[in-house]
Amino acid sequence: MTDANLLQLALRREQDIFEVRQRGREAAAALGLEHQDQIRIATALSDIGRQMLVHAPNVEVRFTVTGEPPNLRILMHTKGHLDGQTIAPVGRLVDVLELTSDGQGTTVMLSRRLPDDHVSAERVGEVKRMLASSAVASPLDELASQNEHLLSALDEAHRQRDRLEVLNNELEETNRGVMALYLELSSELEETNRGVVALYAELDDKSGQLRAASEAKTRFLANVSHELRAPVTSVIGLLRLISDPGSDPLTAAQAEQIGLIRASAADLLSLVNDLLDLAKAESGRLDPMWTQVDLGQMFKQLRGTLKAVLTTPEVELVVDIPEDGSWIESDEALLSQILRNLLHNAVKFTDRGEVSMRARCEERSWIITVADTGIGIAPAHHERIFEEFYQLPTRQKVRGTGLGLPYARKLVAVLGGSMSMESEPGRGSVFTVTLPVTRQP
Amino acid sequence: MDRVPILKIGPVLLVSIQVDMQDQMALALQEDLGQRIVDTGCRGVIIDITGLDIVDSFVGRTLSTIASISRVLDAETIVVGMRPAVAITLVELGLSLNGIRTALNVERGMELLARRADEDDFAEPDFVDEHEISKSP
């Protein structure tokens, strides 16, 4: 079996000899050595211990069980020198007595064969525990060990404190860095903040100016159109009088010129009316009359009026009449105006193919599409067509004020909906109006 | 520090060592015993070591010294009650208890001393033989 430590003791002064030899005797007894051998081992320990204490104040004593067959082996080590002659007689008490000396000191090894041929590890453990539990430390030993513990604890505390100090310093350093960063950041933020506030104020200012300008424009439009309407109306009335069959007859050339003047005046009147409508819608003074509107009915009426506008047989008007019970809460006149404008627009820019209008209900909204197969609009102009007086540069011959689409869009907004368009040059355009089924508060 | 008690029983001083003897104790015993011999005039000392389990060379030498001192002070020392294991160990150690007479127990020791006292009445006190423990009666 391998070496098994049983016990380790320190011999410091003469009184310890009694302890050591007593433990030696206990160990021998526990390992089954007979009484005589116990006495022999105790005596041997006593003699050698005394000899060693004469030369040096500290002797380490270690009890082990070792070898096969097992032996009780006792190692005694001292830093001092020991004369082999003085302990030689002890050799007669044990099986083996060896003395070895080196620079580190002197070690005496005592060995006694145990009676049992086999000593199990469990047995060794038992003996070890027994010896440990019966250990009686002298007050001085107790004090010495306590002192050692205290010293090591103190050492540990010192080390801890040093570590803490280092950590603390590092933390402080980091803290300083963080503070500096924080200050820098906060000053930057403040700066930015000031900039933002200034910008915001500027924006506010600008938007106020814009609002004022827009209001002025609206006012101007309303006034101008209002002032223009009266003279135009009277021009038209007078022209009607001149061309009345009851008046003086006109020459053919005069009649033709009068006809041209009437057409121009009528255009002018419709332009002025459109402007007036737009100005009303923009000024927010347009108050919708909310009623339940039957979409099917409205589509039928629109189809009727639009048929009259179609000038060429190459364009087909397709109106999908929604089924009965297609109601929407809206202003009938405004909604009709919107769709009429869209259809007029579509017809105006379509030479051949078809103009179609459809409605479908989706997620509590009516989606009405007006599609044509006309000239289409390049993406660059998609937004601009909703601006007042904007007309596509391609079709000079098409007559119109350029107010139809912007007005329709304004009205859709007034009714709580939205309008969008998709178009591709040469393929036609699709205008989509989305309106809530019921009025949105 | 503990001291070993020394009892006077008639003309004999009885020292009974019941515990492991420490060095200081052994030296103190030497002094105390010498003093008591002088004080009492006793001519016999019995040292009972029944209580000693272990007698190492130091204790052996101490016993020898005590015996020598007593003899110089005209008192005979008899060590009694030695255990067989102790005896064997002492022999194996090659330790001879010079100048010490031994007896099996206190009673035999007293007898031995009484006999000697009688002899002393007639004869000059002879010098005590040196006995080795193995030859003890």
Side-chain angles (χ1 to χ4, degrees):
Chain A
M1 68 178 284
T2 52
D3 283 18
N5 254 325
L6 284 180
L7 186 63
Q8 207 153 352
L9 290 168
L11 242 181
R12 291 203 187 81
R13 55 194 197 284
E14 188 228 320
Q15 282 93 323
D16 294 340
I17 290 170
F18 297 99
E19 167 82 1
V20 167
R21 74 187 194 197
Q22 188 58 34
R23 309 321 298 281
R25 196 176 157 183
E26 283 171 18
L31 290 168
L33 286 169
E34 62 175 74
H35 181 249
Q36 181 61 51
D37 279 328
Q38 298 168 19
I39 301 295
R40 282 188 179 116
I41 284 170
T43 310
L45 280 169
S46 184
D47 264 22
I48 295 171
R50 280 184 208 279
Q51 289 293 333
M52 285 183 148
L53 275 183
V54 168
H55 296 287
N58 205 346
V59 180
E60 294 285 333
V61 185
R62 193 145 61 90
F63 295 84
T64 58
V65 174
T66 184
E68 193 72 55
N71 283 282
L72 169 63
R73 177 178 285 183
I74 302 162
L75 292 162
M76 303 175 82
H77 178 80
T78 176
K79 291 212 167 63
H81 174 72
L82 195 64
D83 185 1
Q85 286 303 313
T86 59
I87 60 163
V90 178
R92 289 196 287 268
L93 296 179
V94 289
D95 293 339
V96 183
L97 174 72
E98 275 174 19
L99 184 140
T100 46
S101 284
D102 56 17
Q104 303 287 316
T106 309
T107 303
V108 174
M109 191 273 280
L110 306 169
S111 182
R112 177 88 205 184
R113 190 180 156 179
L114 295 176
D116 297 335
D117 275 349
H118 182 74
V119 178
S120 66
E122 287 82 28
R123 178 76 192 132
V124 171
E126 223 170 89
V127 172
K128 191 174 176 178
R129 270 196 301 282
M130 191 267 284
L131 290 174
S133 67
S134 67
V136 185
S138 75
L140 204 62
D141 277 342
E142 198 79 357
L143 269 180
S145 82
Q146 276 183 7
N147 206 23
E148 259 168 46
H149 280 152
L150 269 177
L151 277 176
S152 69
L154 201 67
D155 256 13
E156 182 64 19
H158 271 264
R159 269 199 301 279
Q160 290 265 11
R161 197 196 55 199
D162 289 351
R163 266 207 301 275
L164 266 178
E165 220 162 87
V166 169
L167 260 173
N168 227 7
N169 284 343
E170 274 174 27
L171 262 175
E172 233 163 76
E173 194 92 352
T174 316
N175 217 9
R176 268 201 294 279
V178 167
M179 274 308 286
L181 220 100
Y182 172 78
L183 283 177
E184 200 174 312
L185 272 176
S186 77
S187 74
E188 259 175 44
L189 251 176
E190 223 165 279
E191 192 112 337
T192 316
N193 222 7
R194 267 201 299 278
V196 166
V197 167
L199 254 170
Y200 188 79
E202 203 172 317
L203 268 177
D204 217 21
D205 198 32
K206 280 273 187 297
S207 104
Q209 285 177 13
L210 269 177
R211 225 179 359 258
S214 174
E215 266 166 32
K217 179 203 75 177
T218 306
R219 235 182 0 261
F220 168 76
L221 270 181
N223 287 342
V224 163
S225 13
H226 190 74
E227 296 302 322
L228 279 177
R229 201 152 59 158
V232 170
T233 318
S234 57
V235 164
I236 288 174
L238 288 173
L239 281 174
R240 197 179 297 129
L241 274 180
I242 290 174
S243 53
D244 192 77
S247 307
D248 291 338
L250 302 171
T251 64
Q254 276 173 332
E256 197 193 336
Q257 283 154 2
I258 292 291
L260 285 177
I261 293 172
R262 273 188 69 179
S264 290
D267 275 356
L268 190 56
L269 184 62
S270 82
L271 171 61
V272 167
N273 281 336
D274 283 357
L275 266 178
L276 205 55
D277 287 343
L278 190 66
K280 257 205 273 187
E282 269 196 2
S283 68
R285 268 174 296 172
L286 212 58
D287 246 349
M289 302 260 296
W290 294 98
T291 53
Q292 288 294 330
V293 179
D294 183 354
L295 274 184
Q297 198 64 33
M298 176 173 286
F299 273 41
K300 276 180 206 152
Q301 282 171 7
L302 283 171
R303 186 175 57 184
T305 42
L306 259 288
K307 276 251 167 71
V309 181
L310 283 177
T311 47
T312 153
E314 287 172 55
V315 179
E316 196 188 352
L317 179 68
V318 182
V319 176
D320 264 5
I321 310 292
E323 58 194 40
D324 286 349
S326 299
W327 295 92
I328 180 170
E329 189 180 5
S330 193
D331 181 304
E332 188 166 8
L334 296 185
L335 184 54
S336 163
Q337 180 79 54
I338 293 166
L339 297 179
R340 201 162 43 239
N341 277 15
L342 288 178
L343 284 169
H344 271 287
N345 204 58
V347 169
K348 223 186 313 183
F349 293 101
T350 306
D351 291 335
R352 63 175 62 82
E354 65 168 38
V355 170
S356 64
M357 179 162 78
R358 292 181 175 81
R360 65 179 196 277
C361 191
E362 235 175 56
E363 287 180 4
R364 307 198 45 73
S365 286
W366 278 107
I367 297 165
I368 303 169
T369 53
V370 175
D372 64 55
T373 53
I375 52 167
I377 303 160
H381 303 294
H382 280 188
E383 270 308 305
R384 298 206 65 188
I385 56 163
F386 291 112
E387 289 174 15
E388 287 96 338
F389 301 112
Y390 184 80
Q391 282 191 320
L392 290 182
T394 45
R395 295 283 299 265
Q396 295 299 337
K397 65 171 187 174
V398 175
R399 289 161 62 228
T401 58
L403 289 173
L405 283 179
Y407 184 48
R409 179 131 111 168
K410 290 251 157 54
L411 291 181
V412 169
V414 165
L415 293 178
S418 64
M419 181 152 95
S420 64
M421 64 109 40
E422 285 170 44
S423 185
E424 223 179 293
R427 302 283 301 269
S429 319
V430 179
F431 287 84
T432 307
V433 176
T434 308
L435 288 166
V437 173
T438 53
R439 182 182 171 187
Q440 301 291 309
Chain B
M1 190 193 71
D2 294 335
R3 281 176 181 262
V4 182
I6 303 167
L7 310 172
K8 182 175 180 296
I9 302 174
V12 174
L13 291 176
L14 179 60
V15 178
S16 182
I17 303 170
Q18 299 295 341
V19 293
D20 270 345
M21 249 209 312
Q22 299 191 2
D23 297 19
Q24 287 296 318
M25 226 161 135
L27 295 175
L29 178 61
Q30 276 180 22
E31 285 176 25
D32 290 353
L33 192 58
Q35 191 61 48
R36 287 300 294 271
I37 293 170
V38 171
D39 289 349
T40 57
C42 284
R43 300 199 57 202
V45 175
I46 292 177
I47 300 177
D48 180 14
I49 58 168
T50 318
L52 281 189
D53 264 349
I54 296 161
V55 176
D56 62 3
S57 46
F58 171 78
V59 175
R61 274 197 303 276
T62 308
L63 290 175
S64 283
T65 310
I66 289 174
S68 300
I69 292 168
S70 305
R71 187 155 8 93
V72 171
L73 293 173
D74 194 19
E76 179 80 4
T77 301
I78 297 179
V79 170
V80 302
M82 184 180 290
R83 299 180 170 210
V86 172
I88 292 166
T89 310
L90 280 177
V91 170
E92 280 173 350
L93 264 179
L95 205 69
S96 52
L97 298 178
N98 287 332
I100 301 181
R101 298 198 65 169
T102 55
L104 209 55
N105 52 39
V106 177
E107 202 179 355
R108 300 274 282 272
M110 302 276 263
E111 279 174 18
L112 198 60
L113 281 174
R115 213 183 310 141
R116 262 220 39 185
D118 291 345
E119 285 169 12
D120 279 358
D121 287 345
F122 311 108
E124 287 291 305
D126 52 359
F127 285 102
V128 177
D129 292 336
E130 291 181 3
H131 287 276
E132 290 204 354
I133 196 132
S134 55
K135 294 177 186 170
S136 67

